[in-house]
Amino acid sequence: MTGQDLPLQNGTVPLVEKRGFGTLAVHAGSPHDPVTGAVIEPISLSTTFAQTSVGSPVGLYEYTRSSNPNRDNFEQAIAALEHAKYALAFSSGSATTAVVLQSLAAGSHVVSVSDVYGGTHRYFTKVAAAHGVHVTFSPCIELNVEELIRPNETKLVWIETPSNPTLGLVDISKIVGVAHRHGILVVVDNTFMSPYVQNPLDHGADIVVHSVTKYINGHSDVLMGVAAFNSDALKERLTFLQNAIGAVPSPFDCWLAHRGLKTLHLRAREATKNATAVAHTLEASEHVISVNYPGIDSHPQRAIAVKQHRDGMGGGMLSFRIKGGQEAAHLFCKYTKIFTLAESLGGVESLCEVPSSMTHAGIPKDQREAAGVFDDLVRMSCGVEDAEDLKADVLQALKLAVLPAVSNGTNGSA
Ligand SMILES: *Cc1c(COP(=O)(O)O)cnc(C)c1O
């Protein structure tokens, strides 16, 4: 490691902030191996690290659950990209949510947006209560967060923006303004946008969390999560829980996710370009009722995207209502040839799914529809294939899916 490598790696915020996103993605947390000069870090699979005398480890490490070189490097890279002082990695996005909730004392209250990720909803409603933490959900948090706050009890406001699967946006700084007036922390799940498109801490949020499984790793081959923040007190509390609970990722997964992260800017730009092209194609189709995509002008909260997202980008996720009801939605996902019918998102390959029958099937129909998740809604994760191929795939699948469904008299577009 030479002196001139250090500015990107020593984690000091002023030096880090001078670099562009792509430079940081490639170099932050990526020291050359000081012994061999290897440009890519080795994977440290060792679970334990030698000590020369009791209490004097050879290097920085003692036992891998507490810390290891690959996790440290990944965390440093995420901290740089989310404009945070600290980042902590966990074994999944869900474990990250669990640890943040477990940091609250019994008797704490949380206010959350209603349409959070399904697993987050499950943890909030079925697990948090067991350790005395209660969550109130709001479908319009920008309007009523203040009245939902309970003096001395509410400790967190939880936001997910864009929401899943309808891509509704929340104005982060507006929520932060109210929460901070009451001394309450704001957490933003930034999984759908990735740190390239949106940096919630820049809008005043206190903690940003990710399912690394999605855009950050980006290759659909690692399950992992991460939280990033600036507070020293949070660093102490969450580091303690990371080690005490032990829901940590393996060194191999950290290494893979870090490799994926190095091309996040390239992937996020391509995915946005593709999603924008697909959204316009869908909007122009006679077989489509409506399109939800924050990157185009028809989105009702487009102004928030312009304010909150890099260059007003919409990201790679969109959803749309197809004419012909649930049957057409199912057929569409069956007939696409490039979009694979599967759950999850954020990988290099394009995916599609029907939320009401798959990711959101557990939510009662009336609640689902109140949130805009109709049986004819299709969710798409645009990958980094060629836009022309994705557009052609969507058009041929629409044609095959809608005509039989409509002629069967199952047009559920009402
Ligand atoms: C996938 C996802 C999670 C959960 O992450 P896992 O890594 O699957 O545990 C949380 N939030 C959002 C928005 C997600 O898409």
Side-chain angles (χ1 to χ4, degrees):
M1 204 180 329
T2 63
Q4 80 220 42
D5 289 332
L6 284 173
L8 283 165
Q9 294 152 15
N10 65 8
T12 59
V13 172
L15 285 168
V16 155
E17 280 184 346
K18 280 189 195 137
R19 313 287 184 157
F21 190 99
T23 308
L24 289 173
V26 173
H27 291 288
S30 294
H32 298 165
D33 186 273
V35 176
T36 65
V39 169
I40 298 303
E41 59 173 326
I43 305 172
S44 294
L45 293 175
S46 187
T47 54
T48 188
F49 296 84
Q51 311 194 7
T52 49
S53 60
V54 174
S56 302
V58 172
L60 296 170
Y61 305 100
E62 291 174 28
Y63 184 63
T64 193
R65 171 164 32 76
S66 310
S67 62
N68 66 66
N70 298 104
R71 199 172 87 204
D72 269 8
N73 287 340
F74 174 77
E75 290 173 345
Q76 222 176 87
I78 292 292
L81 298 180
E82 276 293 14
H83 305 161
K85 209 160 145 192
Y86 308 109
L88 295 172
F90 298 91
S91 52
S92 67
S94 303
T96 312
T97 302
V99 167
V100 171
L101 267 279
Q102 292 205 25
S103 73
L104 302 175
S108 298
H109 173 247
V110 175
V111 176
S112 171
V113 292
S114 302
D115 39 359
V116 281
Y117 175 72
T120 303
H121 192 269
R122 183 170 52 217
Y123 191 90
F124 284 1
T125 53
K126 302 215 163 92
V127 186
H131 56 97
V133 173
H134 296 276
V135 183
T136 304
F137 294 96
S138 167
C140 46
I141 202 162
E142 283 174 27
L143 298 178
N144 63 3
V145 60
E146 187 119 41
E147 63 202 59
L148 295 176
I149 289 172
R150 302 180 189 164
N152 305 319
E153 265 179 62
T154 307
K155 302 295 179 196
L156 276 188
V157 176
W158 189 283
I159 305 171
E160 200 175 304
T161 178
S163 69
N164 175 17
T166 53
L167 286 301
L169 303 182
V170 175
D171 186 329
I172 298 170
S173 62
K174 209 161 157 182
I175 300 295
V176 164
V178 177
H180 285 184
R181 222 170 34 245
H182 295 268
I184 297 167
L185 300 184
V186 175
V187 183
V188 178
D189 183 335
N190 195 27
T191 300
F192 267 39
M193 284 296 96
S194 88
Y196 182 69
V197 179
Q198 176 170 267
N199 291 123
L201 301 189
D202 291 352
H203 302 282
D206 300 282
I207 305 177
V208 53
V209 296
H210 286 276
S211 169
V212 170
T213 316
K214 316 296 167 50
Y215 284 100
I216 290 178
N217 178 61
H219 294 73
S220 308
D221 50 13
V222 171
L223 181 79
M224 227 170 105
V226 73
F229 44 85
N230 284 310
S231 147
D232 294 339
L234 279 173
K235 159 80 159 116
E236 195 180 325
R237 180 78 183 132
L238 296 177
T239 301
F240 172 80
L241 290 173
Q242 184 191 37
N243 183 52
I245 294 172
V248 292
S250 73
F252 183 52
D253 281 349
C254 291
W255 186 91
L256 273 177
H258 197 169
R259 179 166 80 161
L261 175 65
K262 290 177 185 184
T263 55
L264 174 60
H265 51 303
L266 308 177
R267 291 184 286 104
R269 288 200 289 255
E270 279 308 289
T272 292
K273 201 175 84 188
N274 285 344
T276 305
V278 169
H280 285 309
T281 301
L282 288 166
E283 271 200 325
S285 168
E286 56 178 333
H287 303 310
V288 170
I289 299 169
S290 57
V291 177
N292 304 313
Y293 182 60
I296 56 178
D297 289 338
S298 59
H299 192 283
Q301 294 152 311
R302 176 74 185 135
I304 298 178
V306 169
K307 177 172 97 163
Q308 214 161 264
H309 301 172
R310 179 192 298 270
D311 303 329
M313 290 167 77
M317 297 298 296
L318 61 89
S319 59
F320 71 97
R321 293 187 68 191
I322 193 169
K323 286 185 185 167
Q326 187 179 50
E327 188 191 351
H330 284 201
L331 287 175
F332 175 85
C333 292
K334 181 176 158 175
Y335 288 135
T336 49
K337 292 178 181 147
I338 301 174
F339 284 87
T340 299
L341 171 55
E343 297 189 0
S344 199
L345 59 119
V348 291
E349 65 289 315
S350 293
L351 304 177
C352 61
E353 64 120 2
V354 182
S356 63
S357 309
M358 297 170 68
T359 49
H360 293 64
I363 307 171
K365 189 178 166 93
D366 55 329
Q367 277 180 42
R368 240 198 299 120
E369 298 202 337
V373 188
F374 298 94
D375 288 347
D376 56 15
L377 190 77
V378 176
R379 187 186 80 177
M380 310 185 88
S381 171
C382 296
V384 302
E385 302 95 336
D386 289 287
E388 289 308 314
D389 292 335
L390 296 182
K391 280 159 54 180
D393 193 32
V394 164
L395 287 174
Q396 66 82 23
L398 279 174
K399 209 159 129 191
L400 288 174
V402 173
L403 296 181
V406 171
S407 62
N408 276 350
T410 53
N411 191 332
S413 62

